[in-house]
Amino acid sequence: MQELARLGAKVRLDGDTAYVDGVDKLTGAPVMATDLRASVSLVIGALAAEGQTTISRVYHLDRGFEALETKLSRCGAQVERVSG
């Protein structure tokens, strides 16, 4: 939730429930993936955001999605994997 908030998402936790309030726009930011599901959420948020988002620790994505950046690029997304 904290990493999505870096993009401008308004998410509030109450026990085991997450409340998400719509926002006018998300803005790109550096974020860190913590597990597979969170990683996918960050990718979706990044695709919807204005500006550039850098997602670190993408090895979580590799466990569940083979060549995700290639597949997203074929759909018109501007995605690049960089070594660091």
Side-chain angles (χ1 to χ4, degrees):
M1 302 298 164
Q2 188 175 15
E3 295 302 296
L4 286 173
R6 291 179 191 270
L7 299 175
K10 296 200 181 205
V11 182
R12 171 175 55 87
L13 292 177
D14 184 10
D16 62 353
T17 303
Y19 296 91
V20 181
D21 294 319
V23 295
D24 290 334
K25 69 176 183 173
L26 297 175
T27 304
V31 293
M32 184 185 324
T34 55
D35 63 34
L36 179 59
R37 289 173 288 190
S39 301
V40 173
S41 297
L42 292 173
V43 169
I44 293 168
L47 290 170
E50 293 180 6
Q52 182 175 340
T53 297
T54 304
I55 304 172
S56 60
R57 297 175 57 173
V58 294
Y59 57 84
H60 294 292
L61 284 170
D62 294 336
R63 289 185 320 193
F65 299 94
E66 184 177 336
L68 181 61
E69 67 276 9
T70 302
K71 294 170 185 173
L72 291 173
S73 293
R74 288 182 188 155
C75 295
Q78 294 179 353
V79 180
E80 177 184 5
R81 180 181 291 251
V82 295
S83 302

